[in-house]
Amino acid sequence: MNPHHRKVHLPVPSFATATLLLLPLALLAAVLVAVYHNEFALQSYLARPACPSNASDTSLTGRHVAVRVAPDFRLLIGVLTLPGLYERRHLMRTVYALQQPNLTAHVDVRFVFCRLASEEQRVLVALEAMQHGDVVELDCPENMDNGKTHAYLSSVPALFGDRAYDFVMKTDDDTFLRLPQLVESLNRAPREDLYYGCMVPCDVVRAQENEYMSGMGYVISWDLVEWIVAAAEQIRNHTVGPEDRLVSTWFRGAGKGKNRVDTKPAMYGFPDRADHCAHELVHDTIAVHKLKNNGRWATTLKYFNFTAGLQPSKFTSMD
Ligand SMILES: *[C@@H]1O[C@H](CO)[C@@H](O)[C@H](O)[C@H]1NC(C)=O
Ligand SMILES: *[C@@H]1O[C@H](CO)[C@@H](O)[C@H](O)[C@H]1NC(C)=O
Ligand SMILES: *[C@@H]1O[C@H](CO)[C@@H](O)[C@H](O)[C@H]1NC(C)=O
Ligand SMILES: *[C@@H]1O[C@H](CO)[C@@H](O)[C@H](O)[C@H]1NC(C)=O
């Protein structure tokens, strides 16, 4: 008997198999980078810098804009949301990805939440991190008004790098942003000391003192992000409460955010009698707020002809 025939061929993993096995592990390792900043231990699922300094080299990859010329500016949009809202994130990813191709600015959308509450979330959100690379977990207890916004804004430089963006936005998961209109509007805004958004209260004329930019979506320039990091001690005692009003309190106390840009009436609430900032959908729109259910998203997207480019036959045909 030829001894060779008796040789037991143990399944030695091929290089390809090994790569397949190791790749997810490597991704996970890359994904679970803990960044320590202030008191927040941050787990960033994607702390990739916005853009190489030379943007003309940026190539077309999955969710990245193909910017052939240097972008006008770099904007980070942090959507503060809850880990369990998988369906809403799916919708928002689609809505924002579809708007990317014609932007003249580099816009990154990231979903931001506090600590994942369960093993289930840790697994399911990790899947999103691996596929989309656009979720950020902050080490704060999950909440609306207990410092989440401060945790987000103050951790941006540590997560994304120094001067990674020109503008940083905080928005919500019930806000629809029209990115081209936002970019066009920001292009005309000051790049320093900027506090931009829908100034509230909407219904009454009040002293400048009491006004602030609605939490539906406000933008601050990078220098103010740096200031928030630097002023951590000063504002530590002022991080609990309605987050949008608090931000204006921090700025007011320090004489910051003097370049205020009020986008009304281009940012508003979905038509609803109870909302003083609401009005009918209009062509000249940057943001629509209070999209609390799929029906409102559908109505809004339809109004803005979001799906108009798709031939009905293509929609019904499966291939
Ligand atoms: C960007 O890259 C182009 C081509 O590689 C080069 O000509 C240009 O000087 C670079 N710009 C900067 C700011 O590095
Ligand atoms: C993007 O630009 C191309 C060419 O300039 C144009 O055909 C297309 O309609 C634009 N798409 C959107 C969504 O504006
Ligand atoms: C913050 O609050 C603590 C305790 O309430 C107090 O000791 C501290 O002086 C306050 N810091 C500032 C900057 O107001
Ligand atoms: C949507 O398309 C219709 C028909 O072409 C047009 O009349 C309307 O102005 C468009 N709406 C917006 C918000 O651009």
Side-chain angles (χ1 to χ4, degrees):
M1 194 186 283
N2 186 336
H4 285 295
H5 288 163
R6 300 179 53 197
K7 197 172 186 175
V8 179
H9 285 274
L10 289 172
V12 177
S14 70
F15 176 74
T17 315
T19 310
L20 277 177
L21 287 171
L22 290 174
L23 191 60
L25 291 175
L27 278 172
L28 264 181
V31 140
L32 297 173
V33 179
V35 182
Y36 292 90
H37 185 68
N38 292 346
E39 284 172 6
F40 303 107
L42 307 166
Q43 262 188 333
S44 166
Y45 286 126
L46 187 91
R48 166 195 305 168
C51 201
S53 54
N54 193 333
S56 56
D57 294 335
T58 307
S59 57
L60 179 64
T61 62
R63 66 191 161 273
H64 271 266
V65 211
V67 181
R68 293 295 169 209
V69 293
D72 295 340
F73 57 81
R74 293 158 303 164
L75 165 67
L76 171 68
I77 299 178
V79 180
L80 270 59
T81 182
L82 297 172
L85 297 181
Y86 304 101
E87 185 190 341
R88 178 63 58 83
R89 276 200 293 286
H90 176 71
L91 171 63
M92 295 187 81
R93 275 193 188 101
T94 306
V95 162
Y96 289 136
L98 285 170
Q99 297 185 73
Q100 282 280 358
N102 290 4
L103 298 182
T104 56
H106 180 101
V107 179
D108 285 332
V109 178
R110 297 289 178 264
F111 297 96
V112 179
F113 26 71
C114 287
R115 277 193 289 273
L116 301 178
S118 67
E119 193 54 34
E120 174 191 301
Q121 287 178 355
R122 272 187 282 278
V123 173
L124 299 188
V125 172
L127 285 183
E128 289 181 69
M130 293 171 80
Q131 176 67 19
H132 302 288
D134 62 358
V135 295
V136 174
E137 180 190 5
L138 303 172
D139 188 17
C140 45
E142 194 51 74
N143 59 70
M144 169 78 99
D145 287 334
N146 274 313
K148 185 171 176 179
T149 293
H150 181 254
Y152 162 59
L153 292 174
S154 64
S155 61
V156 164
L159 284 172
F160 299 97
D162 190 36
R163 294 217 70 95
Y165 296 94
D166 300 293
F167 301 116
V168 173
M169 182 173 208
K170 178 264 149 183
T171 186
D172 286 337
D173 57 23
D174 62 348
T175 301
F176 163 61
L177 297 169
R178 292 177 83 206
L179 299 183
Q181 285 73 14
L182 174 65
V183 163
E184 198 257 333
S185 165
L186 278 176
N187 236 340
R188 289 182 271 117
R191 305 238 164 147
E192 301 269 308
D193 208 26
L194 174 70
Y195 185 32
Y196 168 110
C198 169
M199 187 112 75
V200 290
C202 289
D203 56 332
V204 285
V205 181
R206 294 209 189 162
Q208 186 101 346
E209 304 288 282
N210 299 320
E211 291 175 332
Y212 57 95
M213 301 302 173
S214 158
M216 74 170 77
Y218 51 84
V219 178
I220 62 177
S221 49
W222 186 266
D223 57 313
L224 291 182
V225 174
E226 287 180 331
W227 176 79
I228 289 172
V229 175
E233 286 304 319
Q234 276 166 265
I235 59 188
R236 176 146 307 151
N237 289 358
H238 307 283
T239 57
V240 177
E243 57 91 11
D244 44 9
R245 188 178 310 184
L246 278 173
V247 171
S248 93
T249 311
W250 307 337
F251 290 160
R252 198 181 309 134
K256 294 285 175 184
K258 285 201 283 295
N259 290 325
R260 292 172 169 220
V261 175
D262 182 7
T263 58
K264 280 202 299 292
M267 292 175 83
Y268 52 96
F270 187 88
D272 181 341
R273 280 152 149 256
D275 178 1
H276 290 301
C277 292
H279 59 73
E280 293 304 309
L281 298 172
V282 293
H283 279 201
D284 187 11
T285 290
I286 293 171
V288 185
H289 188 212
K290 302 275 174 75
L291 301 186
K292 298 209 171 290
N293 55 52
N294 286 350
R296 288 188 169 193
W297 278 90
T299 303
T300 305
L301 294 171
K302 186 171 191 322
Y303 176 84
F304 291 109
N305 293 328
F306 229 75
T307 57
L310 191 63
Q311 301 300 318
S313 58
K314 286 191 181 152
F315 190 47
T316 47
S317 148
M318 291 311 284
D319 48 31

